[in-house]
Every structure is written in structure tokens, then in C-alpha cells.
Amino acid sequence: MYDVVNNYFEVDNKEHVKLNANENPYKIYELTKSLEDYELNRYPDNDALLLRETYGKCIGIKKENILAGNGSDEMINLIISSYISKGDTVITLEPDFSMYDFYTRRQGGNITKYKFFSGGNKFNIDEFISFAKSNNPRLIIFSNPNNPTGNVIDEVDIFKMLIEFEDIKVVIDEAYVEFYGKSMVSNIEKYPNLIIIRTLSKAWSMAALRVGFLIANNATIEEIKGNKVPYNINSISQSLATELLKYEETFKKNLDLIFRERKKVYKELVLLQEKYKIFKVYPSKANFIYGQFNGKYILNFLKELEFNNIKIRSFKDNYFRITIGSFNENKILIEVIKNFLGNIVKKKIVGEY
């Protein structure tokens, strides 16, 4: 179980091109507040009222339908600990965010995974429903867009899922939804079993503040909030996040930069894929690109990136995930990959993927 956490908390403080944690390389604005502006001798607002109200205005949801927490991780833990007991089954996707596994197992539950990604094939909702029903789940949870593939499940399929599993909670982790543009958040009243998770760590460029949200109808909020620990978001994170959420124009401009860079990086990688035929990359609706290398070259590829101080994430079966960085970071990345592939050609060891 703790291997999951060790991988998730991987830290490297050396200077490098950091494309492994799906962070936004662009800041919202330069902060000017000093620590003297905060009452550090006082506990923070237990209900994070101003933060919830400000975020609610951003997404068109009342603050009463929002819980705020110490990153979306706390919200995931809060949901799973509220509904899962020893022996209960949680259905998720394969692959998906590793912390679903961690929190489920900590509760004594069983995590069962539906294979979501198969060479970029479309999600089969009927097959998923059949699979899930055969496992009698207490909870369904998945990220949309999916982490790490960048694939998405269409709204029509999610609606069908919510109807078929109306007696259990269906949790959609929308950590990357701003890069996709299609949220289910407006459906929380229509579907009482729907719970949405959001974060400010990705598109909103606030990873260091650790602020996440749980969004659901009033009854679900009342069910869950009694399990929330008190004072779970410190005063500094609440204050800075509330202030930064007011910079929507900058936020939108930064998103446009990510979209532009995502399109460019994907196009460059596809050209290299077609030329060398030893790796594949897949279209993404998130701020990263997922791919798979020929097993013959994956270790050398990762070593080459590490030698050039470039950090990406690698997964089993030779898959990898590259976060979309800044213009300069992406330029360095593509140049290093081109040089690596060119050296393979010189050594005459290229083979079909």
C-alpha cells in the first residue's frame, strides 16, 4: 500500500525541467502579502466560508453545496471514509489516480478496476455497467479527464452510469476539468448520487496551497461534513486562494497558453512517432500527454531525460506521462527527445513498435 504513497510523494529539489507532477508552469500573479498580515495566533475559519463563496461564484454553485479541504486528497479520503467499511468494494478505472487505492485499502475496502485505456479506444459504458454490477460496489470513483491517460468519459455515458447506479455514490474527480471544458457540476441536484471533486493545484496554479473542494447536493454535504476534521485549511491558504480566485482573466490567459503548448507538443511528438516508430502518444484533454515506448528503449529514454534534468512520470508496461510545461521547458524536452531518437538511428537499432 505504501508504495503508492511513495510514488505519489516523489520529490526532487534539484533544478530541472519538472514535467512529472501535472503542475501549471504559469503563475496567477506575484503575491505581495507578508506573514505580518495574518493572525497566526488565531485558528483559521473552520468552514472556509469566504473561500467557498468565492469559488462557488467561479463555477456557478452555491457555497452550501461546497466543502473545502486540504487538497483534493483530503476530499477523496473524506468520501471514502464516509461510505466504505471493511469488505466493501470500490470500483475505479485502470489506470487512474493511485490515491483511490490507498484510501480504500486504509478503510479495509477492496479496490476493483475496470480496464479503461486500450490504445485510445472509446469507453464502453455498457461493458462498464455490466462489470461494475457483477462486483456489487459500494462506491464508484474515477477521474475525468483521466489521470494519467488524458482520455475522457462522455457526459451521455456518465448520465447512464448515474441512472444505473442510483443507489450508490458516483464520484467524479475533475482535477483536470478546466483543460477539458465539460464539467458535471451543474447536475448535482438532478442526480443525488453524484459527487464532484475539484482542486486548485492544477489549472489554478496553486499546488503549494493545498486547496481542494467537494461539491454535491445539500443532503450529501450534510452526510459527509460531520466527518471533516476541524480547521483543515490553514489561514494563509484560505486567504491566498480566495485572493487568487479573483484573477480569472489571468487564469484564462494561462489556460490558453497551456492549450497552445499542448497542441504543439502533441504535434511534435506525433511527427517523431511516425518517423521512428518506437513509441506512441495519445490525444489528451488534460495538461499532460500519455504515451508508450517500445520496451527495448524505455529505460534508456528515461535515463536520457534524467541526464538532462527533465522529470516525467513513468508507469508499468512502458507507459509514460509528460506534463505540458512552459514554452522553454517544452522546447528543451522536444530537443532532448529528438537527439535521443537520432542517436538510436545512428546506432542502427530502430525496430517497429
Side-chain angles (χ1 to χ4, degrees):
M1 174 171 72
Y2 293 98
D3 287 341
V4 171
V5 179
N6 290 336
N7 289 334
Y8 182 48
F9 290 133
E10 181 184 1
V11 174
D12 184 347
N13 292 320
K14 296 177 182 178
E15 284 191 25
H16 54 259
V17 178
K18 194 169 183 291
L19 304 177
N20 63 331
N22 299 341
E23 298 152 327
N24 190 330
Y26 304 109
K27 296 179 181 179
I28 297 293
Y29 86 122
E30 295 296 333
L31 299 173
T32 57
K33 278 192 173 185
S34 70
L35 289 177
E36 295 176 355
D37 296 319
Y38 300 97
E39 292 185 291
L40 299 181
N41 59 316
R42 303 295 184 187
Y43 284 108
D45 176 8
N46 183 50
D47 296 317
L49 285 172
L50 187 56
L51 174 59
R52 287 163 47 218
E53 183 176 21
T54 304
Y55 187 66
K57 289 177 180 178
C58 289
I59 64 172
I61 296 294
K62 295 182 295 184
K63 68 178 183 296
E64 289 79 13
N65 294 110
I66 302 173
L67 290 178
N70 183 24
S72 59
D73 282 49
E74 186 191 4
M75 301 293 91
I76 295 166
N77 182 34
L78 186 58
I79 294 165
I80 291 175
S81 63
S82 294
Y83 294 106
I84 298 302
S85 300
K86 185 175 182 180
D88 288 339
T89 295
V90 173
I91 297 289
T92 189
L93 305 178
E94 174 63 39
D96 213 322
F97 188 36
S98 60
M99 297 307 287
Y100 309 150
D101 304 45
F102 175 74
Y103 290 123
T104 297
R105 288 169 181 159
R106 200 167 72 167
Q107 289 299 119
N110 303 309
I111 192 89
T112 302
K113 301 182 180 184
Y114 172 77
K115 190 172 180 60
F116 172 62
F117 187 81
S118 180
N121 290 340
K122 190 178 185 301
F123 179 75
N124 187 325
I125 183 59
D126 294 323
E127 186 178 272
F128 172 83
I129 290 170
S130 177
F131 171 85
K133 285 186 174 181
S134 69
N135 285 279
N136 191 29
R138 182 80 174 87
L139 184 80
I140 295 172
I141 185 169
F142 58 91
S143 58
N144 199 48
N146 175 262
N147 175 22
T149 70
N151 248 342
V152 294
I153 299 177
D154 294 336
E155 288 177 321
V156 64
D157 290 338
I158 295 175
F159 289 138
K160 191 169 184 178
M161 190 187 305
L162 288 164
I163 293 168
E164 290 287 337
F165 296 98
E166 61 180 354
D167 295 327
I168 67 170
K169 300 300 182 186
V170 175
V171 183
I172 306 176
D173 184 349
E174 293 189 341
Y176 301 95
V177 76
E178 293 90 348
F179 304 107
Y180 174 40
K182 295 181 181 180
S183 172
M184 290 294 293
V185 76
S186 63
N187 296 287
I188 56 171
E189 297 296 345
K190 184 176 180 180
Y191 297 96
N193 56 330
L194 173 62
I195 302 176
I196 303 291
I197 298 171
R198 290 283 192 92
T199 181
L200 299 184
S201 295
K202 308 303 180 182
W204 276 100
S205 306
M206 302 187 213
L209 298 186
R210 306 301 299 134
V211 176
F213 301 98
L214 183 160
I215 306 162
N217 68 9
N218 291 339
T220 299
I221 293 293
E222 289 301 315
E223 254 179 16
I224 292 176
K225 73 177 184 180
N227 297 322
K228 181 184 79 67
V229 298
Y231 310 121
N232 57 332
I233 312 178
N234 68 76
S235 298
I236 296 174
S237 289
Q238 286 192 42
S239 176
L240 294 182
T242 301
E243 184 65 25
L244 289 169
L245 284 168
K246 298 174 184 176
Y247 288 77
E248 285 194 78
E249 287 305 311
T250 305
F251 161 73
K252 290 175 182 176
K253 288 178 183 177
N254 289 347
L255 271 186
D256 287 339
L257 290 173
I258 296 289
F259 293 151
R260 189 185 313 158
E261 289 298 306
R262 180 177 69 186
K263 182 178 181 180
K264 184 178 68 178
V265 171
Y266 178 70
K267 182 179 178 181
E268 291 274 7
L269 290 174
V270 167
L271 289 174
L272 294 172
Q273 167 188 305
E274 293 173 349
K275 180 176 181 180
Y276 293 99
K277 303 184 186 306
I278 60 170
F279 71 91
K280 295 179 181 179
V281 289
Y282 302 95
S284 173
K285 296 295 185 181
N287 67 329
F288 50 80
I289 292 173
Y290 191 64
Q292 185 181 34
F293 240 94
N294 183 317
K296 185 177 180 180
Y297 307 109
I298 185 65
L299 290 179
N300 287 336
F301 172 63
L302 296 173
K303 286 179 182 177
E304 183 70 14
L305 294 181
E306 185 177 4
F307 178 79
N308 286 277
N309 292 322
I310 299 174
K311 298 282 290 183
I312 69 168
R313 276 295 300 272
S314 60
F315 301 89
K316 65 180 182 179
D317 299 326
N318 307 316
Y319 283 104
F320 61 89
R321 187 193 68 200
I322 300 174
T323 303
I324 301 301
S326 66
F327 173 86
N328 287 332
E329 289 172 332
N330 297 330
K331 183 178 179 182
I332 293 169
L333 169 76
I334 294 300
E335 286 303 313
V336 169
I337 294 176
K338 283 181 178 178
N339 289 337
F340 170 74
L341 295 172
N343 287 334
I344 289 177
V345 168
K346 289 177 184 177
K347 293 176 183 178
K348 297 181 180 179
I349 57 173
V350 172
E352 284 289 326
Y353 178 81

